[in-house]
Amino acid sequence: MANLKDIKTCICIAALLLITGMFSCAKNDEELPIPDKYEEVGVNLHLTIPAARQITYSETKAEQENISFTLGTTYTRSGETSEIEQPSIDNLWVLQFDDNQTLIRKFYQNMEPEKTSLRFNLYDSDNTTLFFIANLSDETDIDLELYSSTITDLKKRYIEITDEAPQNKLLLTGEYQGKIKEYTSLEIELQRMVAKLSLELSYKETLNNGNKLTITNICLKNVPVIGFYYNTGTVHTPEENPTRFTDYTLQDVPASGETFIWYIPENLQGTNLYISTQEDKCEEYAPTYSTYIEITGKYISTTTPEQELTASIRLYPGENITTDFNIRRNAHYPMTVTISNLDPENDKRVEIQ
């Protein structure tokens, strides 16, 4: 039979193992042991945020001047602040992948106000990939495991983006491929993960056909609620999952000449090369999950008997106003629409009922 001394020794060893196990479970990724093949070196980093890409001017002639829709206008919205166009950098995730595209280092860095340069340690490499994500909330993790996750895993990661007015706290990403050596200095350009849509809306209260129009509401619809960190540049196929899309808040239109602005996650839905005029860029020919702007109002027919109807106009932004249904990250889509007449028989964007 074991004596009392042996029993006490066993109890102490068991307690020590339990405590050691508890602290091992509490380790974060940066506390994992560093493989012998990796050597830390100091790196200097400077971050810049270039201006967003401006969509090239695009216009097609509308039949009978009913609805003129242009893309790529160069107007400046009165009162728009530089902070919206030039977001700040509050924090930064840094991910390092080796030449086998395996994650070997990741860490989170809070940034001082107005600071765009910092120094930190990475692993020496002749061929590495660095990926940067800025302005995630403190509690957001990238959900990638050191020494097992890969760049392929990163390309599958996304974040829910439900804020309709992020203002200057836009999510930003950047990438570097090349060597990392002691005293390496990197200039990294960060790009916005979202696109900006701006629409200037004007209309005639007395249309060309003599009928009356009062625009009451505008709404951005089919907006993705997730944004992928990595820019693959491929068409998004949500696999019939409508929960990944939402409609933004319905907004009032107080008067003609108002401008509306939205920031939305990238939505790549491809093209339809069979569309030749803006009147045919409509629901019938659009990919199912394409983002669109719906404008609604009161339509009063002056024919006998006079009656009040509801008019709706659906506009699809993209790289042009005919064939393209892609909303790309880090791009500004400035649009103007002028409504002079409504002709649903010849304009498939219009519905009156």
Side-chain angles (χ1 to χ4, degrees):
M1 180 179 294
N3 58 35
L4 184 59
K5 182 178 179 179
D6 292 336
I7 294 174
K8 288 182 177 179
T9 300
C10 291
I11 292 173
C12 290
I13 292 173
L16 180 61
L17 291 173
L18 178 61
I19 292 171
T20 302
M22 290 172 62
F23 279 99
S24 297
C25 292
K27 283 185 178 181
N28 60 38
D29 288 339
E30 288 300 350
E31 292 173 337
L32 293 175
I34 301 172
D36 294 336
K37 65 179 179 178
Y38 297 128
E39 177 184 351
E40 286 192 341
V41 294
V43 174
N44 297 309
L45 176 69
H46 180 66
L47 303 169
T48 61
I49 310 173
R53 180 173 66 93
Q54 188 89 351
I55 301 304
T56 304
Y57 185 82
S58 177
E59 179 183 21
T60 63
K61 191 73 171 179
E63 291 295 332
Q64 302 175 3
E65 296 296 334
N66 293 329
I67 300 175
S68 175
F69 181 45
T70 61
L71 177 69
T73 50
T74 57
Y75 73 89
T76 300
R77 181 191 180 214
S78 175
E80 188 168 65
T81 63
S82 60
E83 285 78 17
I84 293 178
E85 294 302 325
Q86 190 67 19
S88 61
I89 303 174
D90 289 352
N91 53 63
L92 187 71
W93 270 102
V94 181
L95 309 176
Q96 182 180 10
F97 298 85
D98 64 12
D99 54 0
N100 293 318
Q101 298 192 342
T102 300
L103 182 67
I104 58 176
R105 188 168 179 80
K106 73 170 184 175
F107 62 90
Y108 179 89
Q109 175 77 48
N110 282 312
M111 302 287 288
E112 297 176 9
E114 307 300 326
K115 185 175 182 180
T116 57
S117 297
L118 63 157
R119 180 175 172 81
F120 49 80
N121 291 338
L122 293 174
Y123 293 135
D124 181 283
S125 176
D126 289 325
N127 182 20
T128 195
T129 298
L130 302 178
F131 195 77
F132 306 89
I133 307 173
N135 293 339
L136 284 177
S137 61
D138 295 343
E139 63 271 12
T140 303
D141 190 10
I142 308 300
D143 190 26
L144 294 173
E145 298 295 329
L146 284 175
Y147 315 127
S148 60
S149 295
T150 65
I151 292 179
T152 299
D153 297 318
L154 172 63
K155 292 178 180 179
K156 299 175 183 177
R157 298 296 184 266
Y158 59 83
I159 184 173
E160 290 190 3
I161 302 177
T162 57
D163 187 358
E164 297 183 22
Q167 308 217 351
N168 67 330
K169 304 304 180 195
L170 300 179
L171 292 175
L172 308 165
T173 61
E175 186 176 7
Y176 166 81
Q177 292 182 327
K179 294 182 178 181
I180 293 294
K181 300 296 179 182
E182 185 70 52
Y183 305 120
T184 295
S185 293
L186 301 176
E187 296 279 342
I188 302 297
E189 292 186 354
L190 298 178
Q191 296 188 342
R192 300 153 185 82
M193 273 182 59
V194 297
K196 176 182 178 181
L197 308 180
S198 57
L199 176 72
E200 185 178 24
L201 171 61
S202 300
Y203 65 93
K204 289 183 176 181
E205 293 186 0
T206 300
L207 300 174
N208 291 346
N209 60 9
N211 294 329
K212 306 293 184 181
L213 177 66
T214 301
I215 299 297
T216 55
N217 301 104
I218 188 170
C219 187
L220 188 68
K221 296 191 172 184
N222 263 8
V223 182
V225 297
I226 65 170
F228 287 89
Y229 296 119
Y230 200 93
N231 181 14
T232 61
T234 57
V235 173
H236 293 173
T237 54
E239 298 176 345
E240 302 302 321
N241 185 356
T243 60
R244 286 191 172 184
F245 291 81
T246 189
D247 296 341
Y248 274 4
T249 303
L250 187 71
Q251 298 181 64
D252 294 334
V253 180
S256 176
E258 292 291 316
T259 298
F260 302 87
I261 290 180
W262 304 273
Y263 290 88
I264 73 168
E266 183 174 62
N267 188 15
L268 305 180
Q269 292 299 323
T271 60
N272 183 343
L273 300 181
Y274 292 100
I275 300 174
S276 59
T277 67
Q278 60 171 286
E279 289 88 353
D280 287 334
K281 194 176 188 181
C282 60
E283 181 180 11
E284 180 180 355
Y285 302 127
T288 304
Y289 292 97
S290 301
T291 297
Y292 65 93
I293 301 163
E294 187 171 71
I295 301 167
T296 56
K298 298 176 181 179
Y299 182 83
I300 299 178
S301 172
T302 56
T303 59
T304 304
E306 184 176 295
Q307 56 181 326
E308 182 177 305
L309 304 171
T310 298
S312 63
I313 302 129
R314 182 178 292 201
L315 303 174
Y316 287 87
E319 297 289 305
N320 59 46
I321 57 174
T322 50
T323 61
D324 194 277
F325 294 87
N326 295 304
I327 307 297
R328 300 185 184 275
R329 66 179 67 201
N330 199 52
H332 178 202
Y333 295 79
M335 298 165 281
T336 60
V337 58
T338 302
I339 302 170
S340 302
N341 199 34
L342 296 181
D343 182 10
E345 292 185 5
N346 296 301
D347 191 336
K348 296 179 180 179
R349 300 168 299 176
V350 178
E351 184 176 281
I352 299 175
Q353 57 184 7

